[in-house]
Amino acid sequence: MISTVNKLKKTGMVLRPMVSFSAGASGAPTMVKYRNYQTLTVNYRHRGILSRYSPLNRSVPFKNPALHQTRNIGFLVGRILKGVLKIRYLLIGGAVGGGISLQRSYEEWRNSLPDSKWLNDLFPSSEKVDSFRGSLMELSSKFRDSLENLDIDPRLKVFGDRKISELRAWFDSRLEDAIQAAEEEGKVAAQDSVSDVIPPVVKAEAFVTATGAEKHEEERKKTENMQQKIDKMQEELMKVQLKYQKELEKLERDNKELRKQLLLRGNSGSANRKIKKSLIDMYSEVLDELCDYDVGYSTHDHLPRVVVVGDQSSGKTSVLEMIAQARIFPRGAGEMMTRAPVKVTLSEGPYHIAQFKDSSREFDLSKESDLSDLRKEVELRMLNSVKHGKTVSSEVISMTVKGPGLQRMVLVDLPGIISTQTTEMESGTREAIRQMTQTYMSNPNAIILCIQDGAVDAERSNVTDLVAQMDPQGKRTIFVLTKVDLAEENLTKPDRIRKILSGKLFPMRALGYFAVVTGRGNKDDSIATIKQYEEHFFSTSKLFNREGLVPSTQVTTKNLSLAVSECFWKMVRETVEQQADAFKATRFNLETEWKNNFPRLRELDRNELFEKARGEILDEVVNLSLVSPKEWEEALMKKLWEKVATYVFENLYLPAAQSDTSGSFNTKIDIRLKQWADQQLPRKSVECAWETLKEEFGRLVEKAKLSKDHDNIFDQLKAAVVDESMRKHQWEDKAAEVLRVIQLNTLEDRSVHDKQQWDSAVQFVERSVIEKLEVTEANLNNLVGPSRTQQWLRWTNATPEQKQHASVKNELERLLFAERNHPPTLSYEELTAARRNLQTNGVDVDNEFIRQTWHHVYRRHFLRKSLSRAYECRKGFWMYHQGLENEQVVDCNDVVLFWRIQQMLKVTANALRQQIMNREARRFEKEIKEVLEVYSQDRDKKEQLLTGRRVQLAEELKRVRQIQEKLEEFIKSLNAEK
C-alpha cells in the first residue's frame, strides 16, 4: 500500500501528506489526509496479510483463530513439560517457518498486481500544473500593467476611466473563475482515477484465493474497464484543455479589441503630435541600415533576426504567412517563387496593413484586392532584382506588416534550397542559394527557423544537414514540421513523427520542435480558414491527440509564433548592447582616420557631394549667358571653317581652278555651291553649333578648375553630366531649314561691295592657302624623307622607298618648272618619259608610284600659285569693281569665291549664335538638370563617378553614426519597456 501511495505521489495528483493520521483499534479504519485534493480511506478490517503492512498497526499480532488455538495448546504443554525445551523450540520453529511461507505468498501476489505506471502519462506533473497556473497569473499581471501604463489622451481619460475599470474587474473575475474551474476539474479527475484504482487494492484477497482461470478472466475484464476509463479521462482532459484554450482565445480577442480601440482613440485628434515609433519598428530600421552597410574594421552585423530556411516547396512561405496572418506572397505550382531575401517586420497595430520600406502606399490586408496588389508588387520586385539572366538575387526586399495580435519580430524569408538545377536556371544557382543561406545563418545571433516538409521522406531533406553544420549545438535553431496532415495519411509508422519532434531522427539539434498545418493545398484559402482547419485537425487527430505522441504545446502555428517571438526578444536583449559597443569602437577608429588624413574638410558623403557638384554645374550653365555675342560668333566661325575647309578645297576650289576661262570657273562654282547648300551645309552647320556649345561649356568648366576653391573630386562627375546632356540634346528641326535659306541667298551674291571686304577676302584666301600648303609640305616631306641638311643635323637616314620618292619628286619638279600651267594629271607620254629618266638614274618604279608622288608635288605647286595670285590680287579691287576683262580680273576669281564663303560663314555664325543664346542654352540647361536628377536617384552612378578614400571614409563614418544612434535609441526604449 505504501508503494502504491508513493507511485500516486509521483503522478502529481497526490501532494504533500499532512502530519496527522487517525487510526482506531484492530480492524478500524485508518485516515490519511492529503492537502488540496482529497482524503484517502484505507480499510484494514480484513484479517489477513494487509493488516500486517498497515502504516499505523505493524505491531498488531495475527488474528487467525487456528493459529491462536495452536498457540494455547503450546502454552499448556509448556506448563506440563517446562523442562522439555526441545518441544518448545520445535513449535517456535514451525511458527517461524509458517510466517516465512506466508510472506513468500504475499510477495507472489504483490508481483501479480497490475502496474500503475500508466498514471505518470495520464496526469500532468505538479511542475506543469504550477507552470500553467503561473502563466495565467502572468497574463493577468501583464494585462493589468498594459492597462495601467497605457498612454491615453487626457480627453479620453475623462470618459474612459469608468469603462476601463469595469473591463478590468470583469477580466479579474473571469480569470479567477478560470483558475478555480481548473482546480475543481483537477480534483474531480483525481478522485475518479483514485476511486478506480483503490478497489483492486482492497480486494486483493480475492486475487489471492481465486482460481487461475477466474483470476485471468477477472484481470482481463478489469483491464478493459480500466482502459475504457483511461480513454474517458483522456477525452475529459482534452475537453478541459479545449475549454481553457477557448477561454484564453476569448480573452486575447477581447484584449486585442480593447487595445485597438484605445490605439484608435489615442491617435485621433493628434495629427500634429509626433507619433512615437514602436520598439520593433526601431529595431527594423537598424537592420535596414545594416543591410547595405559596407563592412569595415571587422565590424559585422550580428543583430538577431529570424532566418526562415528550408527546402524548396517545404512550406517556408506558408509558415511566415501564418505568423503574419495574411497571404502576402505570390504562389507558384512547383516553380521557384522566392528569388530574393524578403525581410518582414511584424508589429502590433490597430489595422492589418502592409507597407514596403521604400514606398508610402499601405496595403489593407483585410481586402482581397489589396492583397492581390501586394502579391503582384512582391513578384515584380523579385523579378526586377534578378535582371541580366540571374535566377536568385541577394538584394533584400524589406516590408512591414502590422496588425492586432501580431507577435513582434523580424523574419527573413530566403529562397528554398534545391537539389537539382534545371536548364532554365542560371549556372551556379544551387550554390548561390546555399551560399546565401549560409551567410544569413552564419550570424551567431540569428535564430534559424528550419522548415521540414512532413509529407516527404526525412531522408530527402537537404536543409537539416546544412543547419546542423551552422548550429551544431542547436542553441538557436527551432525546427518546424509542416504538412503533418498529409503525413498522418501517408505514414505507416507514426512513431517516426514522434522521433522527429523529439529530435531523435535528424542529426541536427534544436531549441524546440513544432508541428504545424499551413493549408489544404488550396491557394485561395484565407488565413482564417487555414487556422480553423489546423485547430480542427489537431483536436481530432489520432496521431497528435488520442495517442498522445506529441504534447499540445508543440503544435499549431500560434504556439510556434509565441515561441519564436520569445526566443527572438531574448536574443535581442542579450546581444544588442554588445553590437552597440562594437559600432562605438568602429566610429572612434573612423573619426581618427579622418582627422589624420582630411583635417580641413567636412565629412560629406556621396549624396552631399553630389548636391554640391549639382550647384557648381548649374552655376557654370548660368555662365553661358555671360559669353558675349562676339565670342560666340568667333568660336562658331572657327568651328564651321574647320568642318568645311576640306570640302571647299577638295570639292569646290581645286576642281574649278582647272578651268580655262573665268566663265567656266564661276559656272562650276555656282553649281557645286548650290548642291552643297541644299544638302550638306545646313546639317554640318548645326553640328558645328552643337560642338561649339559643348566646347564653350567645357571651357567654362576648365576655367572653374583654376579657382582656388576648386575640388577635383567633382571633375569626373561634371564630365559625365556634360557628355550625357550633349548626347541627349537635339537641335531644333526647323533650324536647319532656316539656315538653308539664309546660306543659299548669301552664296548667290558675287558682288564684293567695298575695298575692306576685298582685303578681308584676300587675307582669308592667304590664310587658308598657307594652312593647306603647310599640311601639303609636311605630307611631302614624310613621303620623300629628310633632306641632306636634316640628315646631318638630326642623324637620320631616308629609307629606300623614301629615296625613290625623292628621285621621282625631283623629276616631276623639272616637269612643272618647264610647264608652269600644267594640268592636274600626267599624260601617258609624260609618265613614260619620267619612268625612263628614272631608270637611267638607277630608279626603277611603276606608273602608280609616280602618280602617288605627283599628287603631293602638283598640290604644292598649285597652292604656291594660288598664294602668289592672292598676293597679286591685293591691288585688284579697282579693276574688279570696274569690271575690266583682262587676265588680272580672271585670276582673282578665287578671291571672290572665298569672299562668298566667308560671308556665308558670318551669316551662319550669327544665326547660330542667336539660336544658342535665345533657345538652345536654356534647353541645354534643362537637359543638364534632367541628367542631374536621374543621377541623383542612381546610387551606382554616384559610386562610379564619386570615388576615392575620402568619399568611402565619409560614407562609412556617416553610416556608422546612424547605426550607433539608432541602436542607442532602441536600447533606451528597450530598457524602458523592461
Side-chain angles (χ1 to χ4, degrees), residues 151 273-279 281-282 973 976:
D151 186 13
R273 187 174 60 187
K274 184 178 179 180
I275 300 176
K276 184 179 180 182
K277 294 181 181 178
S278 65
L279 197 62
D281 289 337
M282 297 167 61
S973 301

Side-chain angles (χ1 to χ4, degrees), residues 394-490:
S394 59
E395 182 180 345
V396 180
I397 300 174
S398 182
M399 63 187 304
T400 301
V401 178
K402 297 182 180 181
L406 292 182
Q407 299 298 322
R408 301 177 302 168
M409 67 182 91
V410 177
L411 303 101
V412 181
D413 186 22
L414 299 176
I417 299 174
I418 59 176
S419 302
T420 305
Q421 184 172 302
T422 62
T423 56
E424 298 177 353
M425 297 181 181
E426 182 192 18
S427 60
T429 299
R430 180 172 176 269
E431 293 302 323
I433 294 175
R434 292 181 66 90
Q435 181 65 31
M436 184 190 307
T437 304
Q438 289 177 341
T439 300
Y440 275 89
M441 291 194 298
S442 62
N443 180 357
N445 299 322
I447 301 169
I448 304 173
L449 198 61
C450 180
I451 309 298
Q452 170 64 31
D453 189 349
V456 301
D457 297 334
E459 292 77 9
R460 294 167 57 187
S461 174
N462 296 311
V463 69
T464 52
D465 292 337
L466 188 61
V467 172
Q469 295 174 8
M470 303 305 297
D471 185 23
Q473 303 299 324
K475 295 182 179 180
R476 52 190 179 91
T477 301
I478 296 178
F479 181 84
V480 183
L481 189 67
T482 61
K483 305 178 184 179
V484 292
D485 53 339
L486 300 178
E488 185 181 34
E489 298 176 0
N490 301 332

Side-chain angles (χ1 to χ4, degrees), residues 535-596:
E535 293 177 354
H536 175 73
F537 169 77
F538 284 117
S539 62
T540 58
S541 171
K542 181 180 179 182
L543 182 62
F544 292 91
N545 181 9
R546 296 179 182 177
E547 295 187 4
L549 296 180
V550 181
S552 59
T553 56
Q554 288 185 247
V555 298
T556 72
T557 51
K558 181 178 181 180
N559 290 333
L560 170 65
S561 178
L562 292 171
V564 173
S565 177
E566 182 179 356
C567 183
F568 170 76
W569 284 107
K570 181 176 180 294
M571 191 78 74
V572 168
R573 290 186 175 93
E574 291 175 353
T575 61
V576 66
E577 292 188 359
Q578 298 175 1
Q579 191 75 34
D581 293 339
F583 277 99
K584 186 181 296 184
T586 301
R587 175 179 176 177
F588 175 78
N589 295 335
L590 292 174
E591 289 177 344
T592 303
E593 182 180 356
W594 182 273
K595 290 177 182 178
N596 293 332

Side-chain angles (χ1 to χ4, degrees), residues 378-405:
V378 173
E379 185 175 7
L380 180 62
R381 286 173 180 260
M382 286 188 180
L383 293 177
N384 291 335
S385 66
V386 291
K387 294 180 179 179
H388 310 297
K390 294 183 179 180
T391 306
V392 294
S393 170
S394 59
E395 182 180 345
V396 180
I397 300 174
S398 182
M399 63 187 304
T400 301
V401 178
K402 297 182 180 181

Side-chain angles (χ1 to χ4, degrees), residues 525-691:
D525 286 347
S526 63
I527 293 297
T529 303
I530 298 174
K531 186 177 180 182
Q532 184 178 4
Y533 171 71
E534 182 184 44
E535 293 177 354
H536 175 73
F537 169 77
F538 284 117
S539 62
T540 58
S541 171
K542 181 180 179 182
L543 182 62
F544 292 91
N545 181 9
R546 296 179 182 177
E547 295 187 4
L549 296 180
V550 181
S552 59
T553 56
Q554 288 185 247
V555 298
T556 72
T557 51
K558 181 178 181 180
N559 290 333
L560 170 65
S561 178
L562 292 171
V564 173
S565 177
E566 182 179 356
C567 183
F568 170 76
W569 284 107
K570 181 176 180 294
M571 191 78 74
V572 168
R573 290 186 175 93
E574 291 175 353
T575 61
V576 66
E577 292 188 359
Q578 298 175 1
Q579 191 75 34
D581 293 339
F583 277 99
K584 186 181 296 184
T586 301
R587 175 179 176 177
F588 175 78
N589 295 335
L590 292 174
E591 289 177 344
T592 303
E593 182 180 356
W594 182 273
K595 290 177 182 178
N596 293 332
N597 296 329
F598 311 102
R600 298 182 180 180
L601 296 175
R602 287 198 307 140
E603 302 159 359
L604 301 178
D605 61 1
R606 280 191 174 89
N607 293 330
E608 294 169 335
L609 288 172
F610 182 83
E611 293 303 322
K612 186 177 179 181
R614 185 207 294 261
E616 293 185 4
I617 293 174
L618 294 179
D619 290 342
E620 290 160 2
V621 172
V622 173
N623 290 336
L624 282 174
S625 60
L626 303 179
V627 179
S628 64
K630 181 179 179 181
E631 292 175 341
W632 276 118
E633 291 184 8
E634 290 177 354
L636 287 168
M637 283 190 64
K638 181 180 178 181
K639 177 62 66 175
L640 278 171
W641 178 241
E642 290 176 359
K643 281 283 185 181
V644 303
T646 302
Y647 184 87
V648 169
F649 271 93
E650 302 297 335
N651 296 82
L652 296 177
Y653 181 46
L654 291 178
Q658 311 304 324
S659 302
D660 297 334
T661 62
S662 175
S664 177
F665 177 88
N666 292 328
T667 301
K668 291 181 180 180
I669 289 295
D670 290 342
I671 294 173
R672 292 178 180 271
L673 282 178
K674 188 175 186 308
Q675 292 176 349
W676 184 40
D678 278 338
Q679 299 174 3
Q680 299 180 16
L681 184 57
R683 180 171 53 83
K684 287 288 185 181
S685 301
V686 171
E687 290 180 3
C688 291
W690 183 82
E691 294 177 3

